[in-house]
Amino acid sequence: MHQSVLLKEVVALFSPLSQKPQPILIDCTLGLGGHSLALLQAYPNLHIVGIDRDKEAQALALDKLTPYAERFTHKQGNFAQILPTLPPPQGILADLGVSSLQLDNPNRGFGFNAPSLDMRMDTEQSLDAFKVVNHYSLYELERMLQVGEVREYKKIASLIVQQRHKQPFNTAQDLANFLAKHTHRGKLHPATLVFQAIRMEVNTEMQNLQALLEYSKTLQDTLMCVISFHSLEDRQVKHAFKEYANIYGDTLTKKPITPSPTEVQHNPRARSAKMRAFHFKAL
């Protein structure tokens, strides 16, 4: 079962929208619809536009949100491309995490034991993890792993290139086992950061976040909430909001909001979530 992180905190953050006549909130990463459902239930005046690249997740979300069809609109695709085409919203939510649906389905190739090497959120795009791992140049692999904050990025990139000359990495399990054998062990599985870096590359996650933050400069009298799961994403949001505070509005979270110990106990995947919020003022 997928559990939306920081659900109560997200609903509380957008409570000012209840004072507006017919506010629009854009859920940039609809996923399985958990956040959108809670917001629609909490605020009867709210209309939500939900965006997601994953058709499988979107179908499940639409089924869940059927009772609120009059106040919910969905868009299939990348939020970075869709946002500029939509009417100005009064709220924006972006949960940058991967859903349990994606992580737990072995055919999607996100997990360490998956029988494929895919990691695409949009299964119709051409670039997948297999192409990244087996066809990126040494330089491209080093760049990707360095961006993903993999400490031994040069060593790991070189090892991957050497190994794939002998035999391609055909499955996520092949890659995870190889990394476990050749890299240092710590608290995390040796493949964790590498897999995360590959996933971020396949799905252009950092570029999409940058596009969202750039787009947000056009917002007026809008609440924006970003939930990140990677220190690189969180720093990007933190620095952007710090810069915007002198020009566009006010930071609502001096420090990031994180899940309570109780939430982490019930949903261990929430442990690295960090939520930051900003109010873009009306000009």
Side-chain angles (χ1 to χ4, degrees):
M1 290 291 292
H2 177 76
Q3 301 177 54
S4 298
V5 301
L6 295 163
L7 193 61
K8 293 180 180 178
E9 292 82 354
V10 166
V11 172
L13 175 77
F14 287 109
S15 61
L17 297 187
S18 65
Q19 306 302 315
K20 299 180 182 295
Q22 289 182 313
I24 296 173
L25 182 144
I26 299 175
D27 187 344
C28 297
T29 48
L30 178 64
L32 297 181
H35 286 122
S36 283
L37 177 62
L39 288 163
L40 289 166
Q41 290 172 336
Y43 307 122
N45 60 326
L46 183 64
H47 185 98
I48 291 182
V49 179
I51 306 171
D52 207 280
R53 290 185 281 181
D54 190 325
K55 286 187 175 180
E56 183 182 4
Q58 191 173 70
L60 293 171
L62 291 177
D63 184 61
K64 183 186 297 184
L65 297 168
T66 297
Y68 302 93
E70 292 184 357
R71 295 192 287 123
F72 178 78
T73 306
H74 72 277
K75 301 283 184 180
Q76 200 273 326
N78 187 333
F79 66 78
Q81 299 168 348
I82 293 174
L83 276 172
T85 69
L86 299 176
Q90 286 70 55
I92 285 191
L93 170 63
D95 174 355
L96 305 177
V98 183
S99 75
S100 295
L101 175 74
Q102 294 163 332
L103 290 172
D104 294 340
N105 183 345
N107 296 322
R108 301 297 297 271
F110 285 90
F112 299 148
N113 297 317
S116 66
L117 193 51
D118 195 321
M119 301 192 197
R120 291 175 297 173
M121 294 180 182
D122 177 358
T123 54
E124 294 183 356
Q125 73 178 42
S126 59
L127 183 65
D128 60 12
F130 179 88
K131 291 180 181 177
V132 168
V133 173
N134 290 294
H135 296 292
Y136 265 28
S137 68
L138 176 63
Y139 170 78
E140 289 173 316
L141 286 173
E142 288 179 351
R143 171 195 58 78
M144 175 192 72
L145 295 173
Q146 185 179 24
V147 168
E149 300 185 325
V150 176
R151 182 174 296 179
E152 298 181 297
Y153 68 92
K154 283 183 176 290
K155 171 188 172 182
I156 292 173
S158 179
L159 286 170
I160 288 173
V161 170
Q162 291 173 34
Q163 178 62 22
R164 75 189 189 191
H165 282 319
K166 303 173 186 175
Q167 183 175 350
F169 293 94
N170 291 309
T171 70
Q173 190 171 36
D174 289 343
L175 180 59
N177 290 343
F178 177 79
L179 293 169
K181 185 177 179 181
H182 291 89
T183 57
H184 295 305
R185 291 185 176 274
K187 292 182 179 180
L188 296 174
H189 187 288
T192 300
L193 292 180
V194 176
F195 269 54
Q196 187 169 251
I198 295 169
R199 190 204 77 216
M200 292 170 69
E201 176 74 14
V202 168
N203 298 291
T204 60
E205 293 177 37
M206 294 307 300
Q207 297 93 318
N208 294 337
L209 175 57
Q210 185 55 47
L212 170 64
L213 293 170
E214 198 63 31
Y215 159 82
S216 70
K217 295 178 183 179
T218 67
L219 299 173
Q220 294 187 40
D221 193 20
T222 303
L223 287 169
M224 180 172 173
C225 168
V226 181
I227 301 173
S228 61
F229 292 79
H230 188 283
S231 57
L232 187 62
E233 294 171 331
D234 181 60
R235 281 202 305 274
Q236 193 165 347
V237 176
K238 175 185 176 181
H239 292 158
F241 285 177
K242 184 177 181 180
E243 175 190 338
Y244 296 173
N246 299 320
I247 308 168
Y248 302 109
D250 303 301
T251 300
L252 303 179
T253 48
K254 300 302 180 185
K255 293 184 178 180
I257 296 171
T258 57
S260 67
T262 302
E263 179 175 358
V264 173
Q265 183 179 0
H266 287 92
N267 180 19
R269 285 174 175 167
R271 65 186 179 275
S272 58
K274 292 183 177 180
M275 183 174 99
R276 295 185 185 272
F278 195 92
H279 177 241
F280 291 87
K281 63 187 178 182
L283 297 180

